[in-house]
Amino acid sequence: MDMNAVREYLEPFRTERIVALLQEINLGDLLYNRWFLAGLALFTIVALSLRRQALVLTVLAALAFACLVDYSLQKNPAIDRVGSEPVLVFVAGGLVLIFVMIYFLFIKHD
């Protein structure tokens, strides 16, 4: 195998192409796509069966944070007031998510 074959193999993984792909992905569409959610559930079940609790917590925390962001953006938050409902839900949900992650990853030992 020569270097040209390696370059051709790695061509789809160039930074510009990956950034363009990430810009095309819409978070709101992914959260309601049943195939994405089924794949995420399958991944979670496999990670649980392999006893990778930290991986499961990280994936579920990322999903929960994405749901918080999607919820907050759907409500069109009025940032002019500090106490607007979507902002408070986002902050409170983020704090709960952080405390749950700290508890399960650092405090609770099996």
Side-chain angles (χ1 to χ4, degrees), residues 26-106:
N26 187 359
L27 180 65
D29 292 341
L30 265 184
L31 288 176
Y32 300 109
N33 185 348
R34 64 179 156 203
W35 293 107
F36 174 74
L37 293 176
L40 194 61
L42 180 67
F43 178 77
T44 303
I45 291 170
V46 168
L48 276 175
S49 68
L50 295 175
R51 298 189 181 269
R52 304 285 188 230
Q53 285 85 7
L55 182 61
V56 171
L57 276 171
T58 304
V59 168
L60 292 180
L63 181 65
F65 183 70
C67 289
L68 274 174
V69 169
D70 186 54
Y71 173 79
S72 297
L73 291 178
Q74 282 182 359
K75 293 287 186 172
N76 294 328
I79 305 297
D80 56 345
R81 292 188 350 233
V82 175
S84 65
E85 188 252 342
V87 174
L88 288 177
V89 169
F90 180 75
V91 170
L95 286 174
V96 168
L97 191 59
I98 289 170
F99 286 133
V100 166
M101 288 290 292
I102 289 172
Y103 174 73
F104 279 112
L105 290 177
F106 300 113

Side-chain angles (χ1 to χ4, degrees), residues 5-22:
V6 172
R7 283 189 181 163
E8 287 178 21
Y9 178 75
L10 294 176
E11 184 67 28
F13 300 108
R14 292 181 56 106
T15 305
E16 301 89 32
R17 291 186 181 182
I18 292 175
V19 168
L21 177 70
L22 289 175

